[in-house]
Amino acid sequence: MANIRVQENRCTGCGQCVPVCPVKCITLGPRPGGPKGPFEKMAVIDTAACTLCKACVSACRALGEKSCNKDLFSAIEIQEAAAGGDFSAYRGVWCVAETRRGQLSPTALELLNIGAKLAAALKEPLCAVLAGHGVEKFAAELAEHGAEQVYVIDAPELKDYLDEPHAAALAALINAKKPNKVIFPATTMGRTLSARAAILANTGLTADATELDVDAATGLLRVTRPTFGGNLMATITCRKTRPEMCSLRPLTYPKAEKNPKPLAVERFTPEAGALACKSSYAGFVSEESGELDIGGAEVIVAGGRGVGGPEGFKLLHELAQALGAAVGASRAAVDSGWVPYRHQVGLTGKTVKPKLYIACGISGQVQHMAGMSSSDIIVAINKDPDCPLMKQAAYAIEGDLYEVVPELIKTLKNPS
Ligand SMILES: Cc1cc2nc3c(=O)[nH]c(=O)nc-3n(C[C@H](O)[C@H](O)[C@H](O)COP(=O)(O)OP(=O)(O)OC[C@H]3O[C@@H](n4cnc5c(N)ncnc54)[C@H](O)[C@@H]3O)c2cc1C
Ligand code: SF4
Ligand code: SF4
């Protein structure tokens, strides 16, 4: 339940906060103590529905700033958790190990890699969490890669992925065991799961991180992520609540090396009814494109606005085929409708880390670089030698891609 209240002595019942509430949880009702002078009604907040967005707080405060009577308005208060509370009961770095259709996601081992460094810095245990049905079989692999403790929540309600029961299960485990830090993968599932679990565990979440470390003086998790459209990197800490939670972009860190720990599994069963869910799982339909996925590809041929249209991507597909590569794209190419979104690389697309990234007609804006700059070798083909990607590339080929790419294809097909 949200910790928000309306101060009866300050609320005038003007109703200005009612329309600003995005979840429509404010109404005007009678004052508990009867009318106060000319003010008959006051704001009443359905705290069960309130998301603590603070829109009403700002609206009412703005009225207070304009009012000549300083005793009125600024009536809505949200009680924040006290800074620097006693968090000594919270211990351990947890990595949420995602499974998809019977497979352990590679992100699980990526999280264990950075999780081990954080745990070592904090001198706290490194743990992994598996939630699903029939998932305990993955615990051994997690222990093999450094997890000192594996928490398993196994329930038929968790067989297929649905946000509601999975978040409820994790939040119940978090509330019971009190970890210090919880890291989720910022995958499609992990992004929604972490947000819901953070709300249920009544703590903060920094989403979509690209770097994690621990502040040596305070032990706080420092979560770095792009902001302002990728133009700035922000480092965010969560000082007032525990656990500190974040989601981490896939491929940000390599998978953990083998570092076997004795297998220690602790099974956790949420209370009866805790996994009840309003939605039901209808089925999973995968996109049958027949193409290599850029996510795990070792070689990517990517095209941008310079490709000029969907026809140009046929040429890139030809080069990709000759190299056994996947086809990527900038957002400009995706937004133009030349290739589907699944090809997009960058801040709002996928992060990739191939051995070879060939960028054709892509200028290399910071939002694109955010998704591919850790590729081992970058080759840029561009008419403009001064664009950012040409400067970043190990091999910058100045020229028209429509001249360079056919030459490359010819050479690859006839190497002699
Ligand atoms: C919040 C936010 C999120 C974003 N997320 C992403 C993201 O995830 N991914 C992403 O890519 N972008 C993203 N963008 C957009 C990004 O800012 C750029 O607009 C985009 O990356 C530009 O794509 P581009 O390089 O293909 O196009 P341009 O910047 O227009 O570059 C086209 C390049 O093609 C070259 N060229 C033209 N013709 C030829 C030719 N015949 N041969 C060779 N070279 C040629 C030009 O010299 C130029 O360098 C985001 C932007 C915002 C604000
Ligand atoms: S809480 Fe503020 S904005 Fe809302 S009715 Fe009361 S005085 Fe008006
Ligand atoms: S904090 Fe947001 S959700 Fe809660 S009552 Fe105010 S406007 Fe509505």
Side-chain angles (χ1 to χ4, degrees):
M1 188 179 279
N3 210 353
I4 184 169
R5 74 178 189 113
V6 181
Q7 299 176 72
E8 191 188 336
N9 60 331
R10 301 195 68 92
C11 176
T12 64
C14 70
Q16 296 291 308
C17 53
V18 174
V20 304
C21 177
V23 295
K24 308 213 177 323
C25 70
I26 311 179
T27 49
L28 290 185
R31 288 172 180 275
K36 179 192 165 207
F39 308 132
E40 281 187 21
K41 295 195 166 178
M42 68 173 283
V44 179
I45 295 176
D46 175 358
T47 53
C50 172
T51 61
L52 294 183
C53 73
K54 298 188 182 168
C56 58
V57 178
S58 308
C60 190
R61 189 183 300 139
L63 294 171
E65 280 159 12
K66 279 192 231 145
S67 169
C68 48
N69 186 344
K70 295 296 164 207
D71 293 333
L72 297 177
F73 303 108
S74 297
I76 307 181
E77 268 189 340
I78 291 182
Q79 200 169 354
E80 308 273 3
D86 180 11
F87 298 133
S88 54
Y90 291 81
R91 271 184 64 75
V93 176
W94 284 16
C95 301
V96 176
E98 186 175 282
T99 61
R100 290 188 209 176
R101 294 179 294 287
Q103 302 284 331
L104 185 68
S105 159
T107 55
L109 302 190
E110 295 167 19
L111 299 194
L112 282 178
N113 181 359
I114 180 64
K117 295 186 176 82
L118 303 177
L122 292 160
K123 299 190 176 48
E124 290 186 16
L126 174 66
C127 308
V129 184
L130 282 164
H133 192 39
V135 289
E136 192 172 322
K137 61 187 177 208
F138 301 117
E141 189 173 350
L142 298 170
E144 183 85 7
H145 289 83
E148 292 158 65
Q149 173 87 56
V150 183
Y151 293 102
V152 176
I153 315 173
D154 190 299
E157 294 94 326
L158 303 177
K159 179 172 173 285
D160 299 304
Y161 182 76
L162 285 169
D163 282 342
E164 270 180 86
H166 274 80
L170 274 163
L173 179 67
I174 287 168
N175 289 336
K177 300 289 172 191
K178 301 201 180 341
N180 191 359
K181 330 278 181 208
V182 184
I183 317 170
F184 292 78
T187 53
T188 309
M189 285 180 341
R191 283 172 201 235
T192 56
L193 176 62
S194 54
R196 275 182 183 264
I199 291 282
L200 294 173
N202 200 17
T203 190
L205 170 80
T206 305
D208 212 18
T210 53
E211 193 183 331
L212 300 179
D213 62 11
V214 165
D215 184 291
T218 61
L220 285 169
L221 182 64
R222 290 163 41 87
V223 185
T224 303
R225 54 151 297 154
T227 187
F228 289 109
N231 289 305
L232 278 180
M233 299 305 280
T235 297
I236 297 164
T237 55
C238 171
R239 291 165 188 269
K240 297 181 180 175
T241 55
R242 289 292 180 279
E244 296 155 83
M245 299 206 339
C246 68
S247 62
L248 179 71
R249 281 202 145 208
L251 294 173
T252 300
Y253 295 100
K255 289 182 193 165
E257 302 281 334
K258 284 201 174 162
N259 176 21
K261 294 282 180 304
L263 179 59
V265 172
E266 182 171 335
R267 298 182 190 96
F268 178 79
T269 308
E271 281 174 17
L275 305 184
C277 180
K278 292 189 238 19
S279 44
S280 62
Y281 186 83
F284 180 82
V285 181
S286 72
E287 203 174 24
E288 296 294 348
S289 65
E291 293 166 346
L292 276 178
D293 176 26
I294 55 171
E298 295 209 329
V299 183
I300 294 177
V301 175
R305 205 192 313 267
V307 173
E311 286 299 311
F313 269 87
K314 286 188 184 156
L315 186 64
L316 299 197
H317 271 101
E318 209 182 319
L319 175 59
Q321 211 168 15
L323 286 164
V327 173
S330 73
R331 177 158 152 183
V334 171
D335 285 352
S336 305
W338 302 341
V339 279
Y341 172 71
R342 64 174 180 272
H343 294 275
Q344 186 177 315
V345 173
L347 188 67
T348 42
K350 283 190 181 152
T351 302
V352 296
K353 201 179 176 309
K355 291 188 174 148
L356 175 63
Y357 189 87
I358 306 178
C360 309
I362 298 177
S363 61
Q365 299 309 309
V366 63
Q367 297 88 355
H368 187 79
M369 302 281 227
M372 45 64 70
S373 57
S374 49
S375 306
D376 290 353
I377 298 173
I378 298 171
V379 176
I381 304 169
N382 203 301
K383 283 179 180 173
D384 175 6
D386 296 321
C387 72
L389 202 39
M390 291 286 272
K391 297 206 162 132
Q392 169 99 359
Y395 300 96
I397 306 174
E398 183 184 342
D400 186 334
L401 70 94
Y402 283 97
E403 290 169 14
V404 178
V405 174
E407 281 301 318
L408 282 175
I409 296 169
K410 206 158 69 182
T411 312
L412 283 162
K413 285 186 176 166
N414 307 295
S416 54

